[in-house]
Amino acid sequence: MDKKNISSVIAMITPGIIKLLIENRKLDLEDASEILYNSRLYELLEDEETKMWRLGFPLLYDLLEEELTTGNITFPEEQI
C-alpha cells in the first residue's frame, strides 16, 4: 500500500482510538490526540512494513494502553 493510502487508513482509525482514550482515561480531545500522536504505536502505524494499520482500532487501543502502562507493545501473533 502506498503512503497516501496508508495515511487515509490511519485517518479513519485514529478517531476511534482517540474516542476510547477520551472515554476510558477521561481526557479531553487535545490530550488524547497528543498521547496517540506521540506514541510508539502511532510510529508503528505509519510504518507500512508493520501492517499495524490492518488491525481494528479496539485492538490498537489495547496496544496503546499496554504501551502507556508498561512501556512495551506486545505484537499480535499475526504481526510477527
Side-chain angles (χ1 to χ4, degrees):
M1 184 179 286
D2 65 35
K3 186 85 168 162
K4 182 180 176 184
N5 288 339
I6 290 172
S7 295
S8 296
V9 171
I10 291 172
M12 291 187 304
I13 293 170
T14 54
I17 299 170
I18 290 170
K19 181 180 181 217
L20 289 171
L21 278 171
I22 290 169
E23 291 172 358
N24 296 332
R25 289 189 166 242
K26 309 299 184 225
L27 300 171
D28 61 28
L29 178 61
E30 184 178 337
D31 289 340
S33 298
E34 186 175 328
I35 286 171
L36 176 60
Y37 295 129
N38 290 317
S39 69
R40 179 157 188 271
L41 178 77
Y42 192 78
E43 286 179 36
L44 293 169
L45 267 175
E46 291 186 306
D47 182 354
E48 197 278 330
E49 290 183 26
T50 68
K51 307 284 189 232
M52 296 291 282
W53 47 268
R54 289 181 172 182
L55 304 173
F57 73 84
L59 178 54
L60 290 167
Y61 171 77
D62 289 343
L63 295 174
L64 179 59
E65 277 295 333
E66 178 185 12
E67 177 185 351
L68 295 172
T69 304
T70 68
N72 297 310
I73 297 175
T74 304
F75 292 92
E77 288 293 321
E78 63 192 44
Q79 295 304 114
I80 297 174

